[in-house]
Amino acid sequence: MINDAENQEIQAEWDLLNCLFPNDLSYPWNPYTLEAEAYFLEQEAADSFLTVFTEAELVDRSQRFMNQIHQVWSATSLQTSLLQRFAEQIPNDLLNRLAQVATRMTEQVSSVSLSLADQLVHCVQEILPQWSEEDLQVLARHAAYGMRGAEPDGVKLNSAMAGVTSWSELSELEQARTCFVVARYALLEVLSDQETS
């Protein structure tokens, strides 16, 4: 007996196959028949949308599309990195939101110059809305400027996270500090990905 979930999955597969291989005329193997000429005219008409756009518009749209794909890819790889590194300390939904905010933040930094502390506040503010911006600014100073130095990537991040056991066991202040450490790590990851690409 097939349950509803399996039935929906099978239906989705059939819908995908119908989209990929519609029930229209098959390719005419003999191009000299009348059916072949009609088929080729129909195919050319279907592809005529390409003539609607100029080459500059196609280049612009393709660049925007590729930028969007890069953003999604960056956010996804950052989410994976954060989950591997901090999943034991912070709930997954908070890590995913932090990765999305950090990715958006690095795009805004190129157009608007923000200090590292402001970037961290912006990232954490969406995760901890109960905190006032002024309080977050005070905590961000420690995370932004206290971690500065020529140490290898992540040394201070690892030492700051070493004693963390569980999100629910932390006080609100410790949760905020932990969020700043993770936000700092996320911003470093995104910036290093941008430098390598």
Side-chain angles (χ1 to χ4, degrees):
M1 176 176 216
I2 298 176
N3 64 22
D4 288 340
E6 290 176 2
N7 192 17
Q8 290 175 352
E9 184 177 326
I10 291 170
Q11 184 61 43
E13 289 174 0
W14 277 110
D15 291 342
L16 176 63
L17 286 174
N18 286 333
C19 288
L20 294 175
F21 307 107
N23 294 331
D24 59 353
L25 296 174
S26 60
Y27 182 81
W29 293 104
N30 184 358
Y32 300 110
T33 63
L34 291 175
E35 295 84 21
E37 185 176 344
Y39 175 82
F40 291 129
L41 287 174
E42 182 181 324
Q43 293 303 312
E44 286 178 11
D47 293 337
S48 66
F49 77 93
L50 293 175
T51 59
V52 172
F53 299 109
T54 65
E55 187 173 335
E57 289 175 325
L58 287 175
V59 168
D60 180 53
R61 288 174 186 249
S62 64
Q63 286 175 344
R64 282 190 282 154
F65 176 71
M66 292 308 291
N67 286 338
Q68 289 175 344
I69 286 181
H70 181 69
Q71 291 168 6
V72 169
W73 180 257
S74 295
T76 303
S77 63
L78 179 60
Q79 286 173 351
T80 303
S81 175
L82 291 178
L83 287 172
Q84 289 173 347
R85 190 167 184 132
F86 302 110
E88 294 177 9
Q89 292 90 10
I90 298 180
N92 293 349
D93 60 329
L94 291 177
L95 288 174
N96 290 334
R97 286 188 4 219
L98 191 71
Q100 293 169 353
V101 172
T103 304
R104 281 193 319 248
M105 173 53 50
T106 54
E107 295 164 12
Q108 293 174 357
V109 169
S110 61
S111 61
V112 178
S113 90
L114 295 174
S115 69
L116 181 57
D118 290 336
Q119 293 175 42
L120 291 172
V121 167
H122 182 74
C123 288
V124 173
Q125 197 169 22
E126 289 191 28
I127 296 172
L128 302 172
Q130 71 273 18
W131 283 75
S132 70
E133 187 172 346
E134 294 81 20
D135 291 339
L136 291 175
Q137 285 287 346
V138 171
L139 290 174
R141 285 187 202 127
H142 172 70
Y145 306 117
M147 293 182 189
R148 189 183 292 176
E151 294 182 0
D153 183 30
V155 171
K156 286 194 174 184
L157 295 173
N158 286 335
S159 64
M161 296 295 291
V164 177
T165 55
S166 169
W167 183 257
S168 60
E169 294 175 7
L170 298 176
S171 68
E172 283 188 27
L173 181 62
E174 291 170 328
Q175 287 178 353
R177 286 183 178 156
T178 303
C179 285
F180 277 114
V181 170
V182 176
R184 172 76 171 151
Y185 177 81
L187 289 173
L188 285 173
E189 283 283 315
V190 173
L191 291 175
S192 68
D193 285 348
Q194 287 178 350
E195 289 173 1
T196 58
S197 61

